[in-house]
Amino acid sequence: MADVVVEYDGPVAIITMARPERHNAVDGQMAAQLAEAMRAFDASQDASIAVLRGEGPSFCAGANLKAIGTDRANRMSPEGDGPMGISRMRLRKPVIAAVHGNAVAGGLELAIWCDLRVVERSATLGVFCRRWGVPLVDGGTIRLPRLIGQSRALDLILTGRPVDGQEAYEIGLANRLVDDGTATEQAVALAKQIARMPQECMRNDRRSVLEQWGYDEPAAMRNEFALGVRSLEANGLDGAQRFASGKGRGGSFEDI
């Protein structure tokens, strides 16, 4: 897969968009490779969490507009994978975006598809496709308001203005703000920390968070409870016994 490279660091799958000469602009072929890589990660027995990153000067500059009208164009269908490949997928496992350089247009949509975003201070995020009349069709108009609120989302969507790492952190678009050149390192470290947690419980709580958007409150509470029962069966007894033995006391995460 020339446009997407997958490596493993212990329980972490590092999925790299590898078209640096185009700032990782995604065409149809690359979108399909991203989807294939994410499906393989989700099915893996060894990887618990993934980091999505970009090679070269940018995370991702969006869709490759030069591919429109060619055999490498992004697929445009209401069914199946989205134009950017992974934007309609809901994985069982979490993904962290390691953002540097530009994460704009469809690249922003990839970043907000991820569960968490580790963003470098000099990074630039924004709906740059506003200038060309190219719409957000990979979840941007849905996920961005859910992440940062409708008012802030509309500011970015209507104006197309750039947001740097500091502002992204202040408005909740970035979960971690890190020094330039360290996004991947910091994202992998965060991924390893999450991978240490009891996985079934963590995944079920994550699933409840994602699914509650489609439920009214009573249904969401029932879904949370049902998933919680599964978590208790899978992880709760063992966790209680470890706590009783003295591990994790005082809020420590060192010996869990």
Side-chain angles (χ1 to χ4, degrees):
M1 297 198 298
D3 295 335
V4 176
V5 176
V6 182
E7 303 168 289
Y8 292 90
D9 185 348
V12 181
I14 303 171
I15 300 173
T16 300
M17 295 176 282
R19 298 188 76 195
E21 73 283 358
R22 296 185 180 275
H23 290 259
N24 298 312
V26 176
D27 60 18
Q29 177 176 301
M30 185 173 175
Q33 291 181 15
L34 270 175
E36 180 181 347
M38 285 296 178
R39 288 192 174 96
F41 152 67
D42 207 36
S44 170
Q45 298 298 312
D46 301 317
S48 299
I49 186 165
V51 169
L52 178 64
R53 64 178 298 274
E55 182 182 335
S58 291
F59 175 76
C60 176
N64 184 3
L65 301 185
K66 293 181 180 180
I68 294 177
T70 74
D71 59 0
R72 292 183 67 102
N74 300 68
R75 70 186 304 275
M76 291 293 294
S77 170
E79 307 297 334
D81 290 338
M84 296 290 284
I86 60 177
S87 54
R88 297 174 187 162
M89 298 173 66
R90 176 173 288 181
L91 306 185
R92 297 182 305 112
K93 306 172 186 177
V95 181
I96 299 173
V99 178
H100 75 290
N102 287 333
V104 297
L108 175 63
E109 291 181 293
L110 290 183
I112 64 176
W113 171 84
C114 296
D115 296 88
L116 301 174
R117 283 149 295 285
V118 175
V119 179
E120 295 185 1
R121 296 182 187 278
S122 68
T124 299
L125 302 89
V127 186
F128 281 18
C129 51
R130 180 58 56 237
R131 298 169 295 168
W132 316 121
V134 176
L136 297 171
V137 291
D138 285 274
T141 65
I142 301 160
R143 295 188 178 106
L144 195 59
R146 291 180 178 181
L147 283 174
I148 64 175
Q150 180 170 301
S151 180
R152 285 181 171 134
L154 283 173
D155 180 12
L156 301 188
I157 291 169
L158 297 181
T159 68
R161 69 178 181 86
V163 172
D164 63 14
Q166 181 65 44
E167 184 177 359
Y169 182 69
E170 290 171 355
I171 65 177
L173 185 52
N175 299 93
R176 303 286 190 278
L177 180 64
V178 301
D179 291 337
D180 291 352
T182 68
T184 296
E185 173 189 350
Q186 297 285 351
V188 170
L190 178 59
K192 288 182 176 180
Q193 175 185 335
I194 294 172
R196 294 178 59 214
M197 305 300 173
Q199 292 296 293
E200 184 69 16
C201 181
M202 181 270 291
R203 291 173 189 171
N204 283 337
D205 280 357
R206 171 183 176 271
R207 177 177 169 183
S208 180
V209 169
L210 296 175
E211 291 182 345
Q212 59 92 16
W213 290 103
Y215 294 136
D216 60 26
E217 185 173 349
M221 294 290 287
R222 288 193 297 270
N223 188 53
E224 178 191 62
F225 184 79
L227 291 168
V229 169
R230 296 185 201 174
S231 297
L232 287 171
E233 292 172 349
N235 296 138
L237 179 59
D238 177 66
Q241 290 174 340
R242 285 187 287 117
F243 176 80
S245 73
K247 295 184 181 298
R249 296 294 176 87
S252 172
F253 281 74
E254 294 303 316
D255 58 356
I256 60 172

